[in-house]
C-alpha cells in the first residue's frame, strides 16, 4: 500500500515540517505492473503475498476489480508491505517496508510452478527475496518462458542472471548502478534485451538497426509514481502480442505518459481504448 505524503518542503535531518495532504493508494511494483497489463487487455495472474490485515484485503480487492487473477496471491503471517512516498515539486522519494513480500519463499510458491511454466511471459521485479527471484528465473529458463525483468530496486541484482532474462528495463539510475554504462552504451551492448526508461525523455533500446530513442509526449505531470510500472505492464502486453520492440516500446511510452497525468500509482493507468 502506498502511503502518499504531499509536501512543499522536504524535511532536513531532525527537522519537522507540515505537509499539504496525505492519501493511501494501492501500489507495489508487481501489483502495479499486473494492473497496468490487465487494463491494457493482458491476461494476468499475480503471484505474491499480502498480510492478514486491512491493507491486504484492500489490495486483493483492487487487483480483482482490475481483472487480475489472484488465486496465487497468498495471505501470510506478516504485515502487508507499504511504501512511504513523499511527493515534492512533481517528483517522488520512496521508502519501502517489504512486509509480506519478504515473508514468502520458494516453499510458498512451489504450488504455483505450473502457472510460471505455462505463462506466455513472466514479469519480475526485485521487491522479493533474491533467492526467490533466482528460483523463478531458473524455472523460466528450464521451461523456455521469456522473462521481462524490471531491476528495481537495483541493489540486489546479480549479473549471472542476465542469460535467463529476455528483456530488462532499468531506468537511468539503475542502468548506471548495474552496467556502469550510460543508457546508450548499455542498450547497444545488449541489443533487443536492455530497454532503458528515461523518465520524461522516453526510452532507449537497440536492435539490428542500431540505437533507437523513443520520445515521450509532452504532458502535464501530476504524479510520476507508477510510471515505470505502467511502462513495464504495457511492454509486457505488447511483447505477448508479438509486437517488435520498434512498436512495443513506443506503446509502453505512450501508456506511461498517460499514467503520470493522474494521482496515484494505479489510478492513472490507462485502459486500452485510451491509447
Amino acid at each position: 500500500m502506498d502511503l502518499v505524503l504531499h509536501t512543499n518542503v522536504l524535511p532536513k535531518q531532525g527537522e519537522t515540517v507540515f505537509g499539504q495532504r496525505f492519501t493511501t493508494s494501492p501500489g507495489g511494483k508487481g501489483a502495479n505492473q499486473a494492473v497496468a497489463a490487465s487494463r491494457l487487455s493482458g491476461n494476468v495472474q499475480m503471484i505474491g503475498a499480502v498480510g492478514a490485515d486491512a491493507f491486504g484485503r484492500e489490495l486483493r480487492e483492487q487487483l480483482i476489480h482490475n481483472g487480475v487473477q489472484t488465486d496465487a496471491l497468498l495471505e501470510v503471517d506478516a504485515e502487508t508491505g507499504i511504501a512511504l512516498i513523499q511527493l515534492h515539486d512533481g517528483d517522488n522519494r520512496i521508502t519501502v517496508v517489504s512486509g509480506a513480500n519478504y515473508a514468502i519463499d520458494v516453499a510458498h510458491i512451489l504450488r504455483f510452478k505450473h502457472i510460471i511454466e505455462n505463462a506466455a511471459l513472466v514479469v519480475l521485479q526485485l521487491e522479493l527475496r533474491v533467492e526467490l527471484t533466482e528460483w523463478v528465473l531458473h524455472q523460466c529458463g528450464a521451461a523456455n518462458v521469456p522473462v521481462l525483468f524490471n531491476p528495481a530496486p537495483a541493489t540486489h541484482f546479480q549479473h549471472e542472471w542476465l542469460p535467463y532474462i529476455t528483456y530488462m528495463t532499468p531506468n537511468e539510475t539503475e542502468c548506471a548502478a548495474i552496467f556502469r554504462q550510460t543508457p546508450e552504451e548499455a542498450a547497444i551492448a545488449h541489443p533487443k534485451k536492455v530497454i532503458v526508461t528515461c523518465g520524461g525523455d522516453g526510452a532507449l533500446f537497440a536492435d539490428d538497426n542500431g540505437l533507437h530513442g523513443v520520445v515521450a509526449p509532452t504532458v502535464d505531470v501530476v504524479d510520476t509514481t507508477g510510471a515505470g510500472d505502467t511502462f513495464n505492464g504495457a511492454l509486457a502486453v505488447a511483447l505477448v502480442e508479438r509486437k517488435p520492440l520498434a512498436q512495443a516500446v513506443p506503446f509502453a511510452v505512450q501508456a506511461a505518459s498517460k499514467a503520470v497525468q493522474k494521482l496515484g500509482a494505479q489510478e492513472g493507468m490507462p485502459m486500452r481504448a485510451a491509447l
Side-chain angles (χ1 to χ4, degrees):
M1 183 67 75
D2 290 343
L3 312 179
V4 186
L5 172 65
H6 304 252
T7 180
N8 290 331
V9 181
L10 290 171
K12 300 180 180 66
Q13 180 70 35
E15 181 183 22
T16 299
V17 300
F18 285 97
Q20 275 61 56
R21 186 182 173 201
F22 172 75
T23 57
T24 59
S25 176
K29 296 197 70 64
N32 289 345
Q33 292 166 14
V35 168
S38 184
R39 286 192 176 187
L40 294 170
S41 305
N43 181 5
V44 184
Q45 297 196 60
M46 175 79 185
I47 302 176
V50 294
D53 51 29
F55 283 166
R57 290 189 293 274
E58 186 174 344
L59 293 179
R60 185 184 296 275
E61 290 169 4
Q62 171 77 355
L63 289 170
I64 293 170
H65 175 73
N66 281 283
V68 178
Q69 299 174 53
T70 60
D71 292 344
L73 185 65
L74 299 170
E75 184 179 283
V76 296
D77 185 21
E79 72 280 1
T80 297
I82 64 98
L84 177 62
I85 301 171
Q86 295 182 83
L87 294 181
H88 171 69
D89 196 25
D91 211 340
N92 60 59
R93 297 185 182 189
I94 304 175
T95 303
V96 172
V97 179
S98 297
N101 275 6
Y102 264 39
I104 56 171
D105 55 21
V106 173
H108 281 95
I109 68 164
L110 199 56
R111 76 186 88 162
F112 307 123
K113 183 180 176 183
H114 66 285
I115 295 176
I116 296 168
E117 292 175 338
N118 291 297
L121 179 76
V122 166
V123 182
L124 272 173
Q125 318 79 28
L126 279 170
E127 289 191 339
L128 298 170
R129 289 181 180 274
V130 170
E131 59 269 24
L132 181 55
T133 301
E134 187 168 279
W135 181 84
V136 174
L137 282 171
H138 288 165
Q139 294 303 311
C140 290
N144 217 16
V145 174
V147 173
L148 171 58
F149 197 99
N150 179 221
T155 311
H156 298 133
F157 183 79
Q158 311 291 316
H159 279 267
E160 57 265 30
W161 295 345
L162 278 172
Y164 297 94
I165 295 169
T166 318
Y167 307 99
M168 185 167 162
T169 55
N171 63 24
E172 294 167 290
T173 302
E174 292 153 359
C175 183
I178 293 168
F179 296 110
R180 308 294 182 188
Q181 292 177 310
T182 66
E184 293 82 1
E185 291 168 340
I188 291 170
H190 303 277
K192 299 182 183 178
K193 173 175 283 196
V194 172
I195 302 110
V196 185
T197 58
C198 304
D201 292 328
L204 291 171
F205 71 97
D207 59 17
D208 295 337
N209 297 314
L211 183 68
H212 303 277
V214 178
V215 179
T218 301
V219 298
D220 292 327
V221 176
V222 175
D223 183 4
T224 59
T225 309
D229 295 330
T230 303
F231 179 95
N232 279 276
L235 184 65
V237 169
L239 292 170
V240 168
E241 293 176 352
R242 300 188 182 279
K243 288 182 170 64
L245 286 179
Q247 296 176 21
V249 177
F251 178 78
V253 168
Q254 287 291 328
S257 72
K258 292 284 187 183
V260 300
Q261 297 178 59
K262 292 184 179 179
L263 185 64
Q266 294 179 15
E267 282 77 359
M269 290 176 172
M271 306 297 285
R272 188 65 176 252
L275 298 183

